[in-house]
Amino acid sequence: MRPSKGWRSEIGDGMSEDKTTMLVGADYTADDYDGDAHVPADAALRRLVEGNRIYVEALDHERDLSPERIADLFENGQRPFACVITCADSRVVPEHIFMTGLGELFVIRVAGNVVGPIELASAVYSCEHLHTRLLLVLGHTHCGAIKAALDGEAGPVAAITERIAAALGDVRDPYEASVANARAAAAELAASPELTLLVAEHDLDIRVAIYHTHCGVVDFL
Ligand SMILES: [Zn+2]
């Protein structure tokens, strides 16, 4: 096993063993995933829930960005445990929100977390080739792209706002708009033949969550 100042050791500093176990969850740590075994979707989800709780409570914000970790990932390849599609908003940073280090999340970011052909192909790459079994669409509150869509903005941002407006329909409540937009992206993903097959035969789980921009809490829907 590679020596590392990974999730368990960092979070464990100054805490009881029981609390460390509770924080990281029983099924998964970055250190003991060897890349050959797929992290099941439910274990990946628990890892994200726990990571977000630590992020909100500011118990620890240190991640493994060490030269050793960079070299390990270069030599042995990436082995992310989940794929996250989220907005390009600079306040919405999955690696921080879920307390993950290098090589743990495959992240696709685009304004409004919309899913078009490029985002879909990126997700398929993660789920097929990197074997991530959790595909999470992470929308967020106070999204500028959604507001632009609600305001009917077009012009240079039309490629995004038109897609969002179609997802919203008659929805005008800001939170419900974030939910509707994220659900539409998830539906777009779920409709693809590649991901449909992975859901049916390889336990891929496509989920939706909303990040509360004002406080950092993630609602897993
Ligand atoms: Zn946004």
Side-chain angles (χ1 to χ4, degrees):
M1 183 68 62
R2 160 183 61 88
S4 167
K5 53 169 191 170
W7 176 266
R8 183 187 294 277
S9 58
E10 285 185 8
I11 297 294
D13 287 343
M15 295 182 182
S16 69
E17 185 60 35
D18 283 347
K19 186 157 190 180
T20 303
T21 302
M22 180 181 69
L23 290 173
V24 301
D27 302 352
Y28 166 77
T29 72
D31 286 346
D32 60 20
Y33 175 43
D34 65 10
D36 293 327
H38 307 157
V39 176
D42 58 345
L45 189 62
R46 283 197 295 277
R47 168 67 177 80
L48 295 182
V49 169
E50 284 303 306
N52 182 241
R53 191 179 66 75
I54 297 165
Y55 169 75
V56 171
E57 295 179 359
L59 296 175
D60 183 308
H61 278 191
E62 296 298 320
R63 300 273 58 81
D64 188 353
L65 308 177
S66 65
E68 292 79 8
R69 181 67 169 162
I70 293 170
D72 166 57
L73 289 167
F74 174 71
E75 291 167 10
N76 299 310
Q78 61 174 315
R79 38 196 185 276
F81 70 86
C83 178
V84 179
I85 300 181
T86 194
C87 186
D89 191 308
S90 62
R91 301 167 295 180
V92 185
V93 185
E95 292 86 344
H96 293 323
I97 291 168
F98 299 118
M99 303 297 291
T100 55
L102 295 175
E104 294 194 273
L105 291 181
F106 190 91
V107 176
I108 302 163
R109 292 182 68 178
V110 59
N113 45 268
V114 296
V115 171
I118 301 297
E119 293 77 24
L120 174 59
S122 299
V124 169
Y125 174 80
S126 176
C127 298
E128 274 194 354
H129 294 275
L130 302 178
H131 310 296
T132 51
R133 288 294 174 259
L134 179 64
L135 174 53
L136 180 70
V137 178
L138 180 66
H140 73 108
T141 60
H142 299 85
C143 178
I146 292 177
K147 182 178 186 304
L150 287 169
D151 292 344
E153 290 185 26
V157 295
I160 291 169
T161 55
E162 287 176 1
R163 192 175 287 266
I164 294 174
L168 299 187
D170 297 330
V171 174
R172 287 296 174 268
D173 174 77
Y175 181 80
E176 291 306 322
S178 297
V179 172
N181 185 54
R183 287 199 193 283
E188 194 83 30
L189 294 164
S192 83
E194 296 88 350
L195 296 181
T196 296
L197 184 67
L198 288 172
V199 168
E201 298 185 8
H202 296 281
D203 298 324
L204 174 67
D205 195 5
I206 301 175
R207 300 291 289 259
V208 172
I210 300 295
Y211 177 76
H212 286 275
T213 308
H214 74 287
C215 67
V217 170
V218 173
D219 289 339
F220 290 87
L221 306 179

